[in-house]
Amino acid sequence: MDDTMDTADPTTAPAPPAVPPTHLGPLTMASLPRPDRRRDLAAAPPAPPGGGVGTPVTVTPSHSTWPQRLVPYVFIAVIVSADLATPKDVTFSSTLSVAPALSALLTRSMWQTIATAVTAIGVSLLLYESSLHVASEVEVAAVGAIGAVTVVSCVSVGLVGRQSRMLANVRSVAETAQHVVLREVPPELSQVRTAVAYRAAAAEARIGGDLYEALSTRFGDRLLIGDVRGKGLPAVEAAADVLGVFREAAYTEPDLSRVADRMHAMLARRPAGTEEFVTAVLLSVDPDRPTVQVVNCGHPPPLLMRDGHVAALAPAEPGPPLGLFDLAPPPDTAAAPARARFAPGDTLLLYTDGTTEARDRNGRFFDLTGFLTGRPATSPAELTRQILAGLAAHAGSRLDDDVALLVVRRKPYVPGPAAEL
């Protein structure tokens, strides 16, 4: 790969919005205006720790409201009114067995269900006393039906409560595992301010294959975002392995490509038959120069935002995903890092494909580049909130894939004599 980055303006296409590449010279971003060094866009207040991460799941027992508790008794009152409005030889007392079932469904409380059943039996007996033309066998059948439905409803409430407690325990374990795998990213590193956000495609799935990390090292701030092929526990294991290698290699490897090589080697050592690969983007922010190194392993390119303009840091020669380096020459080796200008006030957005592949009701993809173009500079945390709000407005509450966002804002620095470009 050349020591260059490619940028272009967004286009409209049937596929997910993409930015077609155009060749640029080394260490330049010609399509973007040069930043004003007197202005510090990073002066916005830093986000609280973990403020951009998806809200942790806390499962609490459901409590019924007063309207829900009153519905069964309203139903009983309707049956009484119907019974009194008809001739005495006609009774609706047998339908009172529906009341305990309604109570169990709406309140999920065994005591509320029993109280409703007692009320229904008492009302049924009163209706029998007021209707002398109804055979006693009918009343016995009505009371028996109420009792049988009550027993079944109470058993159902107990089983549902047990399943809810088990689900709460499972979600608690999943939430803990997510915090172990995806640690909180610090809102401020040595050269950048950051914010992250993660949203699962399904509310029940609290952990998946999307991953991210941000570290301050002696080589500069290093950042990672990636997406593991597949779902479930195998994807979580692969994500944990990739993050573990990155967290160690980022501190010891001066060459960003070597960090990617070691992550690939870890995936290659996983048991045969897993067929796992990870798309990823690795960044290294130069501590002394207004530049950033990028190694792209088959992942959507980062978006560079400057003064309302957006450009994709797309490599001239895209590299294969981690775990598939043997498919491209030279085998088992990542491409050399590409470099681009990343001056104080510039913002980089790293994201997973669940963002750009979110569809609306008409099947149109979310135009992330168009959404960001012309948007005024805000704090990283606020930008993540705006993107998530835009996704919700575009695709609704249901996503087809997990969404992970990592926003990076360059802080001001004092360059050395040879750092000016």
Side-chain angles (χ1 to χ4, degrees), residues 97-347:
S97 59
V98 176
L102 278 176
S103 182
L105 178 65
L106 296 175
T107 67
R108 300 293 176 88
S109 169
M110 192 173 298
W111 296 112
Q112 291 290 335
T113 302
I114 294 174
T116 304
V118 171
T119 303
I121 291 175
V123 169
S124 179
L125 293 175
L126 291 176
L127 291 178
Y128 172 71
E129 292 295 332
S130 65
S131 181
L132 301 179
H133 298 283
V134 176
S136 59
E137 292 82 358
V138 174
E139 182 59 25
V140 171
V143 173
I146 295 173
V149 172
T150 301
V151 171
V152 173
S153 298
C154 288
V155 172
S156 175
V157 168
L159 292 176
V160 170
R162 181 181 178 183
Q163 293 294 330
S164 298
R165 289 189 294 272
M166 292 176 61
L167 179 60
N169 292 334
V170 171
R171 287 188 174 180
S172 177
V173 171
E175 180 183 352
T176 302
Q178 183 186 33
H179 285 298
V180 170
V181 175
L182 299 178
R183 301 173 185 171
E184 289 187 352
V185 172
E188 187 162 343
L189 301 178
S190 298
Q191 289 86 43
V192 298
R193 293 188 173 97
T194 66
V196 298
Y198 176 80
R199 290 293 181 270
E204 298 82 2
R206 300 310 307 171
I207 187 168
D210 288 359
L211 54 98
Y212 49 80
E213 186 58 284
L215 305 169
S216 287
T217 74
R218 60 192 176 98
F219 310 111
D221 293 342
R222 289 186 161 178
L223 305 104
L224 165 72
I225 195 166
D227 189 359
V228 182
R229 171 190 176 274
K231 300 292 182 183
L233 289 179
V236 176
E237 293 174 358
D241 289 343
V242 168
L243 285 170
V245 173
F246 177 79
R247 288 163 181 160
E248 191 275 331
Y251 288 101
T252 59
E253 296 288 351
D255 186 350
L256 194 61
S257 296
R258 282 291 302 151
V259 179
D261 291 342
R262 291 178 57 176
M263 295 162 66
H264 161 76
M266 180 280 305
L267 286 175
R269 290 193 300 268
R270 287 179 61 82
T274 55
E275 297 181 355
E276 292 164 345
F277 63 85
V278 179
T279 65
V281 167
L282 293 80
L283 299 184
S284 185
V285 181
D286 194 312
D288 302 316
R289 297 158 63 90
T291 60
V292 61
Q293 298 183 41
V294 183
V295 171
N296 192 315
C297 302
H299 197 79
L303 298 180
L304 177 62
M305 290 166 279
R306 180 187 299 156
D307 294 338
H309 298 267
V310 181
L313 301 187
E317 298 178 4
L322 302 172
L324 300 179
F325 282 5
D326 55 337
L327 300 181
D332 299 326
T333 302
R339 292 176 175 84
R341 185 174 182 85
F342 187 43
D346 289 350
T347 301

Side-chain angles (χ1 to χ4, degrees), residues 321-383:
L322 302 172
L324 300 179
F325 282 5
D326 55 337
L327 300 181
D332 299 326
T333 302
R339 292 176 175 84
R341 185 174 182 85
F342 187 43
D346 289 350
T347 301
L348 276 171
L349 171 62
L350 289 74
Y351 57 95
T352 56
D353 57 7
T355 309
T356 53
E357 292 181 358
R359 297 172 181 261
D360 62 9
R361 294 180 179 179
N362 298 320
R364 291 190 297 264
F365 291 104
F366 181 63
D367 184 3
L368 180 60
T369 304
F371 178 82
L372 296 174
T373 300
R375 190 166 295 272
T378 60
S379 67
E382 177 59 26
L383 184 58

